[in-house]
Amino acid sequence: QLQLQESGPGLVKPSETLSLTCSVSGGSISSSRYYWGWIRQPPGKRLDWIGSIYYSGSTYYNPSLKSRVTISVDTSRNQFSLKLSSVTAADTAVYYCASQIFGVVKPIDKWGQGTLVIVSS
Amino acid sequence: QSVLTQPPSVSGAPGQRVTISCTGSSSNIGAGYDVNWYQQLPGTAPKLFIYGDTNRPSGVPDRFSGSKSGTSASLAITGLQAEDEADYYCQSYDSSLSGYVVFGGGTKLTVL
């Protein structure tokens, strides 16, 4: 059974870079069946797709965040990571990592538990 | 402003049937892209409830069903139960701006 777990700082200062890692267990991140994605949810607000990566390294980003986002994969550690630069208070959210089934629409079949990241000085 | 529009809230009494709509456009649902639905209980991660417009993952009760027509999709819940009270999100793909995954704004279902 695939499991995902986010890790990283819960507090980031404005203008700095938010960095999170997702550890995948119960399956290989090199599986051709999945994309690996990041989704966030500001407190009390809707879900917002950040981007996804395939094990080959191909990336797909939300156009509204593309200039600030980098998603990378480390197949040797079965992990993938998110970097979001120049953060502001608007980036405060619960960040989820997830497995997305291969295809155009990329349904999300497994989610991490989520980690709250607060942007504040 | 979400690319996919959902009603902020719906409600129904136990045993009743409710539907949640998800309205898009010609660059997403209307273009034929699949719609997926997620249930999010308070304080938890979302869970996939419907994929590929109409399919239920194992473990999801058959009281839940999905449909799609034109630029809209719907989630129907029959035999409403107290445990169904949650937020529901639709999700699809939009082909504008080089293409990206999109979510609806979410609908809060209240069981009266």
Side-chain angles (χ1 to χ4, degrees):
Chain A
Q1 181 83 346
L2 202 59
Q3 291 186 315
L4 300 96
Q5 177 69 56
E6 307 87 353
S7 60
L11 181 64
V12 181
K13 290 182 169 56
S15 80
E16 294 190 345
T17 295
L18 179 160
S19 295
L20 295 173
T21 296
C22 182
S23 299
V24 178
S25 59
S28 172
I29 205 166
S30 298
S31 169
S32 60
R33 185 166 184 250
Y34 292 109
Y35 291 95
W36 306 98
W38 289 96
I39 299 98
R40 70 180 184 178
Q41 186 172 35
K45 295 189 178 180
R46 67 177 179 91
L47 299 166
D48 192 23
W49 175 71
I50 300 170
S52 307
I53 190 165
Y54 198 50
Y55 76 94
S56 62
S58 298
T59 52
Y60 309 84
Y61 296 136
N62 186 323
S64 67
L65 297 170
K66 187 173 183 177
S67 63
R68 299 195 291 131
V69 173
T70 302
I71 297 176
S72 59
V73 64
D74 186 338
T75 55
S76 66
R77 295 188 174 189
N78 230 37
Q79 295 177 334
F80 62 104
S81 298
L82 167 70
K83 291 188 186 300
L84 181 66
S85 64
S86 305
V87 297
T88 69
D91 295 309
T92 293
V94 174
Y95 285 75
Y96 296 100
C97 64
S99 58
Q100 297 182 259
I101 297 171
F102 185 85
V104 174
V105 181
K106 304 179 184 63
I108 302 154
D109 71 336
K110 288 289 187 291
W111 299 69
Q113 66 182 26
T115 186
L116 175 62
V117 178
I118 296 172
V119 178
S120 175
S121 55
Chain B
Q1 187 93 12
S2 302
V3 171
L4 303 179
T5 301
Q6 298 180 236
S9 63
V10 298
S11 62
Q16 285 189 334
R17 178 181 187 271
V18 297
T19 61
I20 299 172
S21 61
C22 175
T23 303
S25 67
S26 59
S27 62
N28 43 69
I29 298 175
Y33 293 113
D34 287 349
V35 177
N36 308 306
W37 291 90
Y38 302 87
Q39 179 195 64
Q40 186 176 33
L41 298 170
T44 69
K47 177 184 176 183
L48 182 64
F49 253 53
I50 297 287
Y51 67 95
D53 299 337
T54 61
N55 303 292
R56 280 178 287 107
S58 62
V60 173
D62 59 6
R63 302 185 293 104
F64 292 81
S65 63
S67 63
K68 187 174 78 177
S69 178
T71 58
S72 294
S74 292
L75 174 69
I77 310 169
T78 58
L80 205 57
Q81 298 182 6
E83 66 202 49
D84 300 333
E85 185 162 295
D87 293 326
Y88 292 85
Y89 291 89
C90 60
Q91 179 247 320
S92 186
Y93 177 87
D94 194 285
S95 59
S96 64
L97 300 174
S98 74
Y100 60 109
V101 171
V102 291
F103 285 97
T107 298
K108 170 67 177 177
L109 169 62
T110 300
V111 180
L112 301 171

